[in-house]
Amino acid sequence: MPVNIAVIGAQWGDEGKGKIVDLLTRHVSVVARYQGGHNAGHTVNVGDAQFILHLLPSGILHAGVRCVIGNGVVVDPDALFDEIETLSRQGVEVDDRLLISDKAHVILPYHRELEVLAEARRGDRKIGTTSRGIGPSYEDKVARRGIRIADLADDADEADDGPLAAAIRENVSARNRAVGGAEADWRVVHAEARSVWERLERWVGDASLFLARAMDEGACVLFEGAQGTMLDIDHGTYPFVTSSNGTVGGICTGLGVGPKAIGGVLGIAKAYTTRVGEGPLPTELHGDAGNQLRESGREYGASTGRPRRCGWYDAVVVRYAVRVNGLDAIAVTKLDVLDSLDEIPLCTGYRYRGEVLTEFPSNGAVLAACEPVYETLPGWSSPTAGVRRYEDLPSEARSYLERIEAVTGVPIAIVSTGADRAETIVVREGLIDRWQADAAVPASAS
Ligand code: GDP
Ligand code: IMO
Ligand code: MG
C-alpha cells in the first residue's frame, strides 16, 4: 500500500520545506497544498536553476505530477497567473496538472488594503505580515462573507445583481467605510473578479473528490504545508501568527481528506532557528552573532526579501511541533550554515522563575518571562557543505545531530547540507522507504 506523507514546518516557516518536498516528490504522483496562500515562498534549487513557489505546490517542477490547491488555501488569481508565467519562462509548464478547489477562497484587492490599514493601526504591536491580503481573506471566510473560486463563475452576475455582485458590493462598501481617501468602485472590483474566471476555469474542480479517487487508484500523495507550527493560528505564538492551520489538522479540513489518509508526518527544522516578522523568538541572537548566522544562511525572505531574525536551535519548539503534529521524524536542514562556528549552543529548556520548563508554554506572558537554557557543543573540524553520506560528516557534526535527536525526541530522517537537491543525506532509509511506495499516476487533475 502506498503511504501518503505530510511535510510540515516545525519552527517559524522557511525551514526548507520546498527543498524537501521536491526531494520526496519523485516518490509520489500528487502534491497538495492545504492552507496559506502566496505568503509562502518555497525555494527549490536544481543545478543552476532556482524556482520559488508561492501558491503552487512545489511538486509542479516534476513532469507528470498532479498538483492540488485545496479549499483551505486562499488564492490571489493575479499572483497565481504571475507564478504560472514565471514558471513557464523557466521552462516549467503547468498545463492540466493543476487542480484548484472550487471551495478555496479568493483574495481581492481590498484584502491587501485592509491588511495595510490593520497593521498601521496596530502600531508597535504590528504582526509584520507579508501584506498579501491573507489575513483579511480568511477573516471574510470565517465571517461567512468570503468569495470562493466557484463564485467567480456566476453567470447571473451579468446583470450585476447576482450573488457575486451582492457580496462584492457589500465587501467594498465595508472597505470604503474602513479605509479613508478615494472610494473603491465595487463595479470595477466585480468586473475584475469576473474577468479572471475564463482563465481559471480549466483548473477548477472538486479537490476532495479528485484526491479520494486518486488514492483509490493507488496514487501516493504528498501534503505540503506552508508556514510552520509556530505560525499556526491555533498552536503558534498567537497573535504573531498567520491566519491558517499549517499543522497537521489543516490537511483534513483544507483538502477534504480523512485522517487515515496521512500515513507519515515529516517535520522540517533548520539546524538553528529563524523567524520573519514580529513576535517571540526565545533563542534570538542580536548583534554580530545574529548577523553572522543571517549572512551565512542567506536568511532573507523568499517572498518579501525581509531579513530573517536568527537564533540557535530550540529543542523546546521542535519537541512541541512533534507533539502537535505527531511527527514521525524530522529533516534537519542548513547544517552547512553552522560550518564556521567554534561552538554551537543548543536550547534544551526555558528557565522560568527559577525552574526549568521543557514544554513550550501555552501562555504568552510565561513565554515572555522565559530565558533559554543552553548546552554548548563543539563546532566541527571540517565543513559539512555538500556532504552526501552520513559517515562523511565530521564526528562533531554527527554528535550535534545525535544530540538534536535526543533532546527533540524524534528520529532524524534527512539531513540537508546545501540548497541543491543533491546536497542531501538520507539518514534513515527505512523510515523514508516506508513512505515511498510505487504509486499509480492518476489520469488527470482536472
Ligand atoms: P520553505 O519556505 O520552508 O520552503 O523555505 P525557504 O525556501 O523560504 O527558505 C529556505 C532557504 O534555504 C532557501 O533559500 C533554500 O534554497 C535554502 N536551503 C534549503 N536547504 C538548505 C541547506 O541545507 N543548506 C543551505 N545552505 N541552504 C538551504
Ligand atoms: P513559508 O511557507 C515565514 C509570517 C509573516 C508574519 C506572519 C503573518 O515560506 O514557510 P501573513 O502574511 O501570513 O498574515 O503574516 O507570518 N509568515 C511567514 N514566515 N515563512 C512563511 O511561509 C510565512 N508566511 C507568513 O512574516 O510574521
Ligand atoms: Mg519560505
Side-chain angles (χ1 to χ4, degrees), residues 13-17 39-43 301-303 308:
D14 300 332
E15 299 92 345
K17 297 177 292 296
N39 48 351
H42 297 178
T43 313
S303 276
R308 295 176 183 146

Side-chain angles (χ1 to χ4, degrees), residues 13-19 41-43 45 50 270 302 308 333-337 416-419 423:
D14 300 332
E15 299 92 345
K17 297 177 292 296
K19 168 175 169 165
H42 297 178
T43 313
N45 286 10
Q50 180 174 77
K270 278 177 190 168
R308 295 176 183 146
T333 60
K334 303 192 96 163
L335 184 68
D336 54 297
V337 173
S416 174
T417 57
E423 294 173 313

Side-chain angles (χ1 to χ4, degrees), residues 61-121:
L61 303 180
H62 292 246
V65 167
R66 313 283 171 194
C67 288
V68 174
I69 293 180
N71 58 279
V73 175
V74 283
V75 178
D76 179 327
D78 291 331
L80 178 73
F81 298 147
D82 283 352
E83 193 170 332
I84 290 173
E85 274 162 28
T86 304
L87 276 183
S88 174
R89 280 198 296 277
Q90 292 186 285
V92 177
E93 297 303 334
V94 168
D95 295 326
D96 284 326
R97 294 191 293 128
L98 177 64
L99 178 66
I100 306 171
S101 166
D102 47 10
K103 294 182 190 161
H105 279 246
V106 180
I107 298 180
L108 289 166
Y110 51 82
H111 290 128
R112 286 188 294 275
E113 294 176 301
L114 290 169
E115 181 170 346
V116 170
L117 186 76
E119 282 283 86
R121 285 211 177 120

